[in-house]
């Protein structure tokens, strides 16, 4: 695996639900041509396939809980391998969600060069998700599940940021700003990678 993805940079995109990870990833793809892999999107594709495994995943996601580590890591790994020949860089969006996920990723795939920490206030994230829920059709964009996802973010995912801060690869991005202003900060972090 390590040689297959060659020199492609790995960027973890971490932040709370509704912080703006997907929004910024789209803009990075447009400007830098990186491969965007959202763990949530990969899981929702499995749910949409109607498979037995998809049904189990749907039940977990609807409760705002984390799906088993191996399931999500295997999906990401397969998607990375599928793009290995063309990818300049990988945006791993929504992963790791707990420190253990980061450790396993590094064992099986490789080390990240950068962690973009997309930071917004809890109250902002709730507002954005309630609004997104009006049109997203996502089973987890409702008040009850949003609250659980936020709690889990603070408990399980924030420690991921501290873990990688010790390694000096975290760039904190103020995602309270308008989308294009957020992206201006993101661009600086990506440009420094080259
Ligand atoms: N900087 C921003 N300012 C205002 N709204 C934003 C901003 N970034 C994202 N949003 C909106 O917030 C919602 C959640 O963004 P999204 O990118 O889906 O977040 P995530 O992938 O982190 O859950 C979307 O409806 C998006 O349009
Ligand atoms: N790395 C991961 N580990 C376990 N479960 C994950 C996961 N990434 C996503 N999921 C599951 C649980 C999440 O509540 C759900 C939606 O994830 P998401 O689309 O990344 O949400 P958001 O972009 O709003 O943060 O999918
Ligand atoms: Mg997202």
């Amino acid at each position: 695996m390590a040689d297959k993805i060659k020199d492609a940079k790995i960027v973890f995109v971490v932040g709370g639900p509704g912080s703006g990870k997907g929004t910024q990833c789209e803009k990075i793809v447009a400007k830098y041509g990186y491969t965007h892999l959202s763990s949530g999107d990969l899981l929702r594709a499995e749910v949409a396939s109607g498979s037995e495994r998809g049904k189990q995943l749907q039940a977990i996601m609807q409760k705002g809980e984390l799906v088993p580590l191996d399931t999500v890591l295997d999906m990401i790994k397969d998607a990375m391998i599928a793009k290995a020949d063309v990818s300049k860089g990988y945006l791993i969006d929504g992963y790791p969600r707990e420190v253990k996920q980061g450790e396993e990723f590094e064992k099986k795939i490789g080390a990240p060069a950068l962690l973009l920490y997309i930071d917004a206030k809890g109250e902002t994230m709730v507002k954005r998700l309630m609004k997104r829920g009006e049109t997203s059709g996502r089973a987890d964009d409702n008040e009850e599940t949003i609250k659980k996802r936020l709690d889990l973010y603070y408990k399980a995912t924030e420690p991921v940021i501290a873990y990688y801060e010790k390694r000096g690869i975290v760039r904190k991005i103020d995602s309270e700003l308008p989308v294009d202003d957020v992206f201006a900060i993101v661009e600086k972090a990506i440009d420094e990678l080259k």
Side-chain angles (χ1 to χ4, degrees):
M1 181 68 195
D3 58 309
K4 255 197 126 181
I5 62 168
K6 287 173 289 190
D7 299 329
K9 298 267 196 277
I10 296 173
V11 177
F12 285 161
V13 184
V14 177
S19 59
K21 302 181 294 294
T23 301
Q24 293 303 317
C25 284
E26 263 181 45
K27 296 183 78 71
I28 297 169
V29 170
K31 173 155 183 192
Y32 298 91
Y34 279 22
T35 301
H36 177 209
L37 298 175
S38 154
S39 49
D41 288 349
L42 292 170
L43 292 165
R44 283 185 287 276
E46 181 71 29
V47 171
S49 79
S51 68
E52 200 45 50
R53 183 165 78 154
K55 284 184 190 125
Q56 291 163 10
L57 295 173
Q58 163 83 346
I60 297 169
M61 290 161 76
Q62 199 151 5
K63 285 189 278 180
E65 293 169 4
L66 296 183
V67 311
L69 190 163
D70 289 335
T71 304
V72 63
L73 184 53
D74 285 349
M75 281 179 176
I76 291 173
K77 189 177 169 191
D78 290 347
M80 288 179 81
I81 292 170
K83 294 278 181 176
D85 293 335
V86 293
S87 199
K88 297 180 234 174
Y90 292 98
L91 297 169
I92 308 298
D93 163 8
Y95 188 105
R97 265 180 155 82
E98 53 186 2
V99 170
K100 177 97 173 119
Q101 288 192 354
E103 291 171 344
E104 291 301 311
F105 183 100
E106 294 196 46
K107 271 192 221 157
K108 291 196 178 158
I109 300 173
L114 170 70
L115 186 154
L116 292 175
Y117 165 27
I118 310 297
D119 182 40
K121 288 185 283 191
E123 143 200 8
T124 304
M125 294 192 270
V126 172
K127 257 190 233 153
R128 288 180 185 171
L129 289 174
M130 291 301 289
K131 181 101 186 88
R132 188 175 79 183
E134 290 169 13
T135 54
S136 69
R138 276 179 54 166
D140 58 355
D141 282 346
N142 61 77
E143 201 169 357
E144 194 190 340
T145 310
I146 289 168
K147 192 185 172 305
K148 287 197 204 150
R149 289 157 69 201
L150 211 56
D151 287 348
L152 189 59
Y153 168 70
Y154 290 122
K155 202 169 70 182
T157 310
E158 273 202 341
V160 171
I161 296 156
Y163 178 85
Y164 285 102
E165 241 156 22
K166 288 188 203 131
R167 305 239 301 251
I169 63 163
V170 172
R171 289 292 300 266
K172 183 173 176 175
I173 311 293
D174 180 1
S175 192
E176 290 288 329
L177 303 168
V179 171
D180 289 341
D181 297 358
V182 178
F183 187 60
I185 314 172
V186 167
E187 279 178 301
K188 278 190 203 135
I190 303 271
D191 286 339
E192 278 172 21
L193 274 181
K194 292 189 192 146

